[in-house]
Amino acid sequence: MRTNKYLYWITFIAVLSGLIFGLNMAGISGAVSFIQDYFVLSDVSLGAAVGSIMIGCLIGALAIGTLSDKYGRKPMMILAAILFIISSLGCSLAQSIELFIASRFVAGLGVGAVSVLAPTYISEIAPANIRGRLVANNQFAIVIGILLAYLIDFGLVDVVNGWRYMMAVPVVFGFIFLVLLLTSFPESPRWLAKEGRHAESVNILTRLVGKENAKTEFDNISSALRKTGNNNKVKFKELFKGKVAKVVLLGSLLAAFQQITGINAVISYAPTIFSQANVGSDQALLQSVLVGVVNLVATIVALWLVDRKGRKVLLLWGTVGMTISLMYMVYSFTFDTAGSFGVLISLLGYIAFFAASLAPVMWVVTSEIYPNRIRGLAMSFSTGISWVCTFLTVQFFPWLLNNLGGAYTFGFFGLFSLIAFIFILIYIPETKGKTLEQLEVDLALN
C-alpha cells in the first residue's frame, strides 16, 4: 500500500505539468478578443499571438529529448517549471504585442518540454498492468487545466483588464510544481540504470514496486540495455535506421494525426467558433466551459478503459466518432438547419471521442513503443512532429474559418480523422499489459 501511495504521489507531481500545459493552451481562449482589441491585431497577427506558443512547443519538444537523455528527466522538469513562471508573468504584464508573443513562445518551450517529459517519465516508473492509466493521467491533468482555464476566463470576462489575470494563472501552479519537484521528486530509475547508477535505480524501484519486484524489474532493464547496447550517446540519425525507423515512423504519424484532426484549434478558438455560429459572446464562453466539462468526463472514460479494453480499440472507436461528429459539423454549417445547437452538439461529440481516444492514448502508445536507450530522443522527435501540426492548425485556423467558412474547415479535419482510422487499423500494434522490455522484443528491437 505504501509503495502504491509513493507511485501515485510522484505520478501526481509529474502530471501537474499537464495541468499547467492545459492552462497555457486554453487560457488564451477567453482572452482572444480582448487581446485583439488591446493590441489592434489582424487575423494573421492574432494567429501569431495565439500560435507563437506552438513554435516554442516545437523547439522545446525537439530539444528536450537529447537534454533529458543526457542530464536526466528531473532537472529538465525543473527547468520547465521555471519557464512556466517566467512566461506567465511576461504575458500578463506585456505592454507590447512583441513581449506578449515572446512570452507565449517561452511558455511553449515549457509546454513542449513537459509534453515529452511527463509521459516518458511516467512510463518509466509505472508497472505494466497500470501503465496505460498512469500515463493517461497526464492527459487527464491537461483537460482539467483546460476546463479550469475556461472557468477562470468566464469568471473574469467582465473584469477590467481581466485578460491579464487570465494569462497570470499559470504562475501559481508553476510555483507549486517547482517546489514539489525540488522536494519530493526522484529521478527515473530507467534513466539511472542507463547511466550506470545502479544502486540509485534499485532504491527507487524498491520504493515503487517493493524489494522483491524491484530486483526482477532491474534485471529486466539491465538485460534490455545489454541487448540494445548501453551507449549513452544516442545520435539523432539512429532514429532513422533499421528496425527503429519503422517504430519511430509509426509513433510520429500517430502524433501528427492527433493534431491535424483539429483539436487545438477547437480548444484555442472555441468561443470564436460559437460566435461564427451566431452565438452571443457571453453564451459562447459559457458553451466553451461545457466543452471543457465534456473533455474532462470523456478523459475519465479513457482512464477507465485504456488498461481494460486496450489502446487500439479506443483509438479506432475514437477516430470513427470524431469523423462522424465532424461531418455533422459540416452539415450544421452548410445548411444551418440546426443552427448553433447543431454546432454545439457536433463539437461536443468530437471533443468526447477525441478525449476518450487520441488525446490520452497517443501519449501512452508513443511512450511505450520506443526502446529504453532512445526513448527520450524518439519521444522528442514524434512530439516535435505533433507540435508542427499543432502550430499549422492554430496559426491558420482563423483565416480558414473566416475565408472558407466552418463547413470547409471542419470537413478538412474530418477527412484527416478518417485517414487516421485507416492508419491505426492497419499499422498500430496493441501494447496493453506488456512491460516496456517485452515490447522491445515484440517489436523486434533487440
Side-chain angles (χ1 to χ4, degrees), residues 223-238:
S223 176
L225 286 171
R226 284 193 297 271
K227 289 178 181 177
T228 57
N230 196 14
N231 178 6
N232 294 330
K233 293 182 179 179
V234 181
K235 295 180 180 179
F236 188 70
K237 63 182 180 181
E238 290 184 51

Side-chain angles (χ1 to χ4, degrees), residues 98-230:
E98 291 80 13
L99 178 57
F100 185 87
I101 290 175
S103 298
R104 287 282 288 173
F105 171 79
V106 172
L109 293 176
V111 170
V114 299
S115 69
V116 174
L117 290 169
T120 299
Y121 180 88
I122 297 168
S123 74
E124 291 180 339
I125 64 168
N129 63 316
I130 58 172
R131 188 178 59 243
R133 177 158 51 90
L134 291 186
V135 174
N137 265 300
N138 185 58
Q139 182 64 27
F140 184 52
I142 292 172
V143 301
I144 290 175
I146 291 171
L147 176 57
L148 184 59
Y150 284 153
L151 289 169
I152 291 170
D153 288 0
F154 181 69
L156 293 172
V157 69
D158 293 323
V159 175
V160 176
N161 287 324
W163 69 269
R164 294 191 182 276
Y165 299 110
M166 296 175 192
M167 304 311 298
V169 171
V171 171
V172 177
F173 293 94
F175 181 74
I176 294 170
F177 182 44
L178 179 62
V179 171
L180 291 177
L181 286 172
L182 292 172
T183 58
S184 306
F185 198 69
E187 184 53 83
S188 160
R190 280 179 166 81
W191 182 84
L192 290 169
K194 182 170 70 74
E195 294 294 306
R197 294 161 63 176
H198 297 165
E200 294 173 74
S201 177
V202 171
N203 181 53
I204 294 170
L205 285 169
T206 300
R207 296 191 67 185
L208 288 170
V209 297
K211 188 173 182 179
E212 188 173 323
N213 291 331
K215 184 180 184 306
T216 302
E217 190 81 0
F218 182 77
D219 288 345
N220 289 337
I221 295 169
S222 299
S223 176
L225 286 171
R226 284 193 297 271
K227 289 178 181 177
T228 57
N230 196 14

Side-chain angles (χ1 to χ4, degrees), residues 361-421:
V361 180
M362 186 280 282
W363 300 111
V364 175
V365 172
T366 54
S367 69
E368 290 176 329
I369 62 176
Y370 300 137
N372 188 38
R373 196 176 73 84
I374 66 162
R375 184 171 296 116
L377 186 59
M379 278 290 290
S380 183
F381 177 75
S382 61
T383 306
I385 295 294
S386 173
W387 285 117
V388 169
C389 296
T390 305
F391 170 73
L392 293 174
T393 302
V394 172
Q395 172 66 40
F396 294 107
F397 182 79
W399 186 92
L400 289 170
L401 192 63
N402 289 329
N403 289 275
L404 301 182
Y408 282 102
T409 301
F410 289 103
F412 175 77
F413 294 145
L415 175 61
F416 277 112
S417 294
L418 178 61
I419 296 171
F421 168 80

